[in-house]
């Protein structure tokens, strides 16, 4: 039995590691990659996604380009972190095939109309998903599961309380959290436990094949280490947590609870307000993860990256 998934992403260094991990995992049937604006503009994320599937030896996986800006706000990018190309440190050969003609949101809608088994792995701002659910609200309830990297419990990396993917398009995140699909949210408080430390980078290089080498090249960046914040030398590896959760949910702990997204306040814009203790009495709309077994996570990634040869 394989799980059909669509990976919606903004590659992006950690998106790239997530895509490669998924393509190295026989349990997952990657139906398509849908690209969204985010770490770098869509004009980069879509070709990057194509370059990644071809690098992985899976050129038949279609890539659909989606929204090039948030629903109601100007685009914000993270070029300082991911580089102008989005894949700083790794230069895959340029894509040979073009992206598909259909818009990402259209592909998501049509795929969900045809099947109730599809998992959406959301690794960037949620504009493509929100557009799909706005265009065809009935498909949200047909999603098997949305597993998303975004938000956090009381922490942020753009503001003290807002994480990049949610902050960039809070209106889209709000639509997705209200849409009625089963959601698993993996926020910063969890992904900050998943540090690509120097010994883990060495393991990628030694045992992870060409994809492990590529991942290590993107993450070997001591200038960005922040041991005070993360407790250890290394960089948090956010997005592959989504793929790891689909493969090995036992590596994670979490709790079913209500999540709301702040779309109004300038002070807390983009905060995911997680009702961890059930204070509001509102019905749960997400499983919010809070812990990852980081050693198990990195062992899994190394093994899956290695399968790409
Ligand atoms: C998230 O923002 C992006 O920079 C990363 O790709 C990840 O999806 C972390 O806040
Ligand atoms: Ca991302």
């Amino acid at each position: 039995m394989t799980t059909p998934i669509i990976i919606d992403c903004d590659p992006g260094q950690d998106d790239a590691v997530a895509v490669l991990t998924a393509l190295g995992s026989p349990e997952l049937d990657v139906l398509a990659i849908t690209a969204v604006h985010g770490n770098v503009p869509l004009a980069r994320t879509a070709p990057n996604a194509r370059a990644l599937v071809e690098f992985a030896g899976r050129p038949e996986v279609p890539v659909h380009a989606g929204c090039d800006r948030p629903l109601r706000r100007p685009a914000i990018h993270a070029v300082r972190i991911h580089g102008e190309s989005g894949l700083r440190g790794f230069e895959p050969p340029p894509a040979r095939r073009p992206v598909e003609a259909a818009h990402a949101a259209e592909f998501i809608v049509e795929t969900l109309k045809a099947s109730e088994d599809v998992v959406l792995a959301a690794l960037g701002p949620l504009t493509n998903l929100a557009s799909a659910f706005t265009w065809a609200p009935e498909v949200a309830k047909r999603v098997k599961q949305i597993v998303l990297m975004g938000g956090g419990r009381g922490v942020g990396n753009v503001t003290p309380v807002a994480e990049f993917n949610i902050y960039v398009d809070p209106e889209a995140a709000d639509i997705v959290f209200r849409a009625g699909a089963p959601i698993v949210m993996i926020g910063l408080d969890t992904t900050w436990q998943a540090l690509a430390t120097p010994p883990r980078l060495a393991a990628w290089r030694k045992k992870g094949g060409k994809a492990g080498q590529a991942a290590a090249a993107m993450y070997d960046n001591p200038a960005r280490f922040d041991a005070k914040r993360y407790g250890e030398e290394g960089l948090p590896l956010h997005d592959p947590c989504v793929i790891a959760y689909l493969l090995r949910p036992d590596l994670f702990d979490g709790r079913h609870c209500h999540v709301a997204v702040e779309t109004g306040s300038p002070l807390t814009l983009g905060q995911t307000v997680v009702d961890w203790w059930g204070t509001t009495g509102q019905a749960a709309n997400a499983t919010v993860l809070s812990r990852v077994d980081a050693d198990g996570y990195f062992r899994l990634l190394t093994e899956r990256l290695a399968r790409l040869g």
Side-chain angles (χ1 to χ4, degrees):
M1 279 289 285
T2 57
T3 302
I5 70 166
I6 298 171
I7 305 177
D8 188 73
C9 59
D10 59 333
Q13 295 169 309
D14 54 335
D15 301 79
V17 180
V19 167
L20 295 174
T21 304
L23 293 173
S25 297
E27 304 94 322
L28 303 178
D29 175 14
V30 181
L31 302 179
I33 314 285
T34 53
V36 68
H37 67 90
N39 290 317
V40 286
L42 182 73
R44 295 269 192 193
T45 60
N48 282 351
R50 271 251 42 103
L52 287 167
V53 297
E54 294 180 21
F55 172 79
R58 299 286 305 281
E60 76 286 2
V61 176
V63 172
H64 293 262
C67 301
D68 65 359
R69 71 196 72 169
L71 295 180
R72 292 198 213 148
R73 297 170 189 272
I76 300 173
H77 306 298
V79 170
R80 194 179 56 81
I81 293 174
H82 298 264
E84 287 290 335
S85 76
L87 303 177
R88 193 200 315 258
F90 170 43
E91 282 181 38
R96 297 165 77 101
R97 293 196 197 177
V99 299
E100 307 299 310
H103 189 281
E106 182 187 348
F107 175 80
I108 291 170
V109 167
E110 293 309 319
T111 306
L112 295 175
K113 279 184 178 169
S115 169
E116 287 185 300
D117 296 329
V118 179
V119 169
L120 301 179
L123 314 181
L126 292 164
T127 322
N128 286 346
L129 269 59
S131 301
F133 297 164
T134 303
W135 181 27
E138 73 280 7
V139 301
K141 297 212 168 54
R142 294 177 60 81
V143 179
K144 177 93 179 285
Q145 192 174 44
I146 297 172
V147 184
L148 65 88
M149 190 283 134
R153 288 192 298 141
V155 286
N157 58 2
V158 181
T159 77
V161 293
E163 178 280 333
F164 180 81
N165 289 338
I166 308 294
Y167 181 82
V168 165
D169 196 349
E171 285 78 16
D174 183 46
I175 289 171
V176 169
F177 274 96
R178 290 174 189 273
I183 294 177
V184 175
M185 173 182 134
I186 310 181
L188 290 176
D189 46 313
T190 301
T191 63
W192 282 352
Q193 299 165 32
L195 288 187
T197 59
R200 289 171 180 155
L201 296 177
W204 275 350
R205 283 209 177 85
K206 195 166 164 206
K207 303 182 195 160
K210 67 175 187 181
Q213 301 279 343
M218 287 188 282
Y219 273 84
D220 197 355
N221 190 350
R224 284 183 48 221
F225 290 179
D226 187 348
K228 264 199 197 138
R229 183 190 300 209
Y230 306 129
E232 216 182 330
E233 297 291 340
L235 286 175
L237 193 67
H238 309 285
D239 293 343
C241 284
V242 168
I243 306 301
Y245 176 81
L246 291 169
L247 298 169
R248 290 276 314 275
D250 59 297
L251 292 174
F252 298 83
D253 291 332
R255 186 181 287 192
H256 209 41
C257 49
H258 185 267
V259 179
V261 178
E262 176 58 55
T263 57
S265 155
L267 181 63
T268 57
L269 184 69
Q271 178 171 12
T272 48
V273 180
V274 177
D275 190 1
W276 190 251
W277 296 107
T279 310
T280 64
Q282 293 189 84
N285 60 351
T287 300
V288 177
L289 303 189
S290 57
R291 195 197 67 84
V292 56
D293 166 356
D295 285 330
Y297 171 61
F298 276 89
R299 270 197 302 273
L300 177 68
L301 296 189
T302 306
E303 189 225 314
R304 298 318 170 91
L305 294 172
R307 289 190 193 204
L308 295 176

